[in-house]
Amino acid sequence: MQHSLPEQDLDAVREILLASIAAADSAEALESLRIAELGKKGRLTQLMRSLGSMEPEARRSVGAALNAIKTDVAAAIEGRKTALMDAALDARLMDERLDVTLPVRPEPRGAIHPISQTIDEVIAIFGEMGFTVAEGPDIEDDWHNFTALNIPPEHPARQEMDTFYLPGEADRPRRVLRTHTSPVQIRTMLESPPPFRIIAPGRTYRCDSDATHSPMFHQVEGLVVDECTHMGHLKGCLIEFCRAYFRIDDLPVRFRPSYFPFTEPSAEVDIGCTRAGGDLRIGHGDDWLEILGSGMVHPRVLANCGIDPGRYQGFAFGMGLERIAMLKYGIADLRTFFESDLRWLRHYGFAALDVPSLVAGSTP
Ligand code: PHE
């Protein structure tokens, strides 16, 4: 029978164990140490077992000492484990450090399509003149696209517009892809009482395709109706627009008598240009370029919308957005707008909003 374990031996065991725990340099080494000492067949466990064969007095003192060692060893193992984990994390953080000063990897960048850019520019300019944006459907009925605009069924303008008709339906009015944005005038006037000051950019459709025509294209419509609106307002507003849009303060603008069924009188608007050497340049010159149609709203159109032409007058205008974009940005073929060619988009696209303004000095 074993009587006791000398106290010095227990102290030595404790010192050796704590030293080897402190020296363990990995989680794995620490774990094998724990098994070797505290595990089922571990050294301390064996020593605890041997207590059974001791004298009661010795058992009490050696037992207490062994328990204290066990507690210390377990705590030392936990402490060492945390220290090793912290060190591993520090090493990883050092290793994976981000260098925020490195240049970014190139990302493919999108661009704003010239038509979107042009719409934004037009909205910005008219927005400063107090216009709001109105919309209407691409699929219109015959009445909104033609009849209400004073284009009766047999009117030659219907042929000129190369209309796309939708298949007829027995008890429905004939539907068309709108040939211009002018039906938005009608919808606006039917929706609420005057006054109005709106522009309506949007898609329009005509059965036509060449370098300057596409079956789908864009127009912007304008409509102003009030009790004392007159031709002077039409002229001032459109001259201002042309100069702001083309960013030429003294751009010559000319109003040439014309004809539209829905305006009376009607005028086409030309801007000054030169065609010297085959190159088209907008600005002062000896030549003129037509850019939009306009006129005073025909009294019959007002009446068709329930507005008293004796009390209200107005003006309207419409222009092709591809056309003014081509002129401003030097794009030669209208069809390229809709070919989705990325090289074209990269070349003619816009990086960010860059819209002209009426306010002097605010244009970049
Ligand atoms: N709707 C006409 C067109 O498509 C343009 C226009 C609009 C003319 C408004 C006068 C007034 O050609």
Side-chain angles (χ1 to χ4, degrees):
M1 181 182 264
Q2 214 172 341
H3 296 280
S4 70
L5 263 164
E7 298 263 323
Q8 314 86 284
D9 284 4
L10 283 179
D11 276 347
V13 167
R14 174 202 176 88
E15 289 318 311
I16 291 167
L17 282 179
L18 293 182
S20 43
I21 291 167
D25 58 359
S26 70
E28 293 77 37
L30 202 59
E31 180 62 5
S32 4
L33 209 75
R34 191 187 62 79
I35 294 169
E37 299 303 335
L38 300 174
K40 264 195 200 149
K41 292 180 184 152
R43 216 156 27 137
L44 284 172
T45 317
Q46 303 284 7
L47 280 173
M48 291 296 266
R49 269 194 205 129
S50 69
L51 289 175
S53 56
M54 285 182 197
E55 307 263 312
E57 209 173 299
R59 185 190 303 159
R60 208 172 302 127
S61 69
V62 175
L66 276 177
N67 266 330
I69 297 179
K70 251 179 90 172
T71 313
D72 288 353
V73 166
I77 289 178
E78 270 317 299
R80 181 71 188 142
K81 203 161 145 189
T82 313
L84 283 172
M85 268 163 39
D86 285 352
L89 183 63
D90 282 346
R92 221 179 102 196
L93 287 176
M94 284 302 282
D95 219 38
E96 294 178 0
R97 196 164 48 173
L98 275 183
D99 184 350
V100 292
T101 64
L102 285 175
V104 290
R105 283 195 203 102
E107 292 268 2
R109 250 202 233 169
I112 294 170
H113 192 284
I115 280 296
S116 305
Q117 170 76 17
T118 305
I119 290 175
D120 288 342
E121 291 181 12
V122 168
I123 291 175
I125 296 169
F126 283 109
E128 283 187 39
M129 293 193 237
F131 285 72
T132 55
V133 173
E135 279 180 321
D138 288 15
I139 297 177
E140 266 297 1
D141 54 58
D142 202 276
W143 188 81
H144 285 89
N145 195 77
F146 295 121
T147 314
L149 286 160
N150 198 33
I151 315 176
E154 297 317 316
H155 199 283
R158 292 205 179 202
Q159 272 75 56
E160 279 163 33
M161 290 218 188
D162 299 308
T163 312
F164 284 113
Y165 290 97
L166 272 77
E169 285 167 84
D171 35 51
R172 254 195 118 157
R174 191 166 56 162
R175 291 189 302 160
V176 301
L177 292 181
R178 65 178 180 192
T179 56
H180 50 179
T181 41
S182 300
V184 186
Q185 288 187 35
I186 303 300
R187 291 187 177 272
T188 303
M189 289 192 277
L190 288 172
E191 209 172 83
S192 58
F196 308 108
R197 199 185 294 183
I198 59 107
I199 54 166
R203 280 188 278 270
T204 47
Y205 305 84
R206 290 183 201 178
C207 188
D208 211 349
S209 182
D210 59 39
T212 52
H213 296 91
S214 149
M216 191 278 293
F217 60 106
H218 295 75
Q219 285 191 338
V220 61
E221 193 77 10
L223 175 71
V224 174
V225 175
D226 209 335
E227 288 188 54
C228 48
T229 307
H230 53 72
M231 193 83 187
H233 295 128
L234 177 156
K235 289 184 73 177
C237 171
L238 293 176
I239 292 172
E240 196 86 333
F241 167 76
C242 292
R243 292 181 175 166
Y245 176 76
F246 289 104
R247 296 184 180 179
I248 303 174
D249 288 345
D250 57 354
L251 178 68
V253 181
R254 176 175 84 170
F255 291 78
R256 184 167 35 79
S258 182
Y259 171 78
F260 299 101
F262 33 90
T263 47
E264 181 59 34
S266 303
E268 267 165 324
V269 178
D270 300 335
I271 53 173
C273 68
T274 52
R275 290 186 170 88
D279 262 358
L280 178 70
R281 284 184 66 87
I282 290 166
H284 280 276
D286 52 6
D287 220 341
W288 294 99
L289 184 72
E290 178 204 320
I291 62 154
L292 64 95
S294 69
M296 299 305 291
V297 180
H298 197 294
R300 223 175 281 152
V301 174
L302 293 171
N304 287 343
C305 300
I307 295 171
D308 176 7
R311 181 169 167 204
Y312 288 99
Q313 304 83 46
F315 69 86
F317 56 88
M319 68 189 120
L321 288 169
E322 285 80 5
R323 180 162 167 79
I324 61 167
M326 286 164 83
L327 291 171
K328 183 163 172 179
Y329 297 114
I331 303 171
D333 189 327
L334 186 141
R335 289 166 298 194
T336 54
F337 280 83
F338 310 116
E339 283 170 354
S340 302
D341 181 336
L342 277 180
R343 292 163 306 171
W344 186 89
L345 286 167
R346 256 176 228 129
H347 182 78
Y348 288 109
F350 292 82
L353 281 185
D354 171 21
V355 294
S357 166
L358 292 174
V359 183
S362 67
T363 50

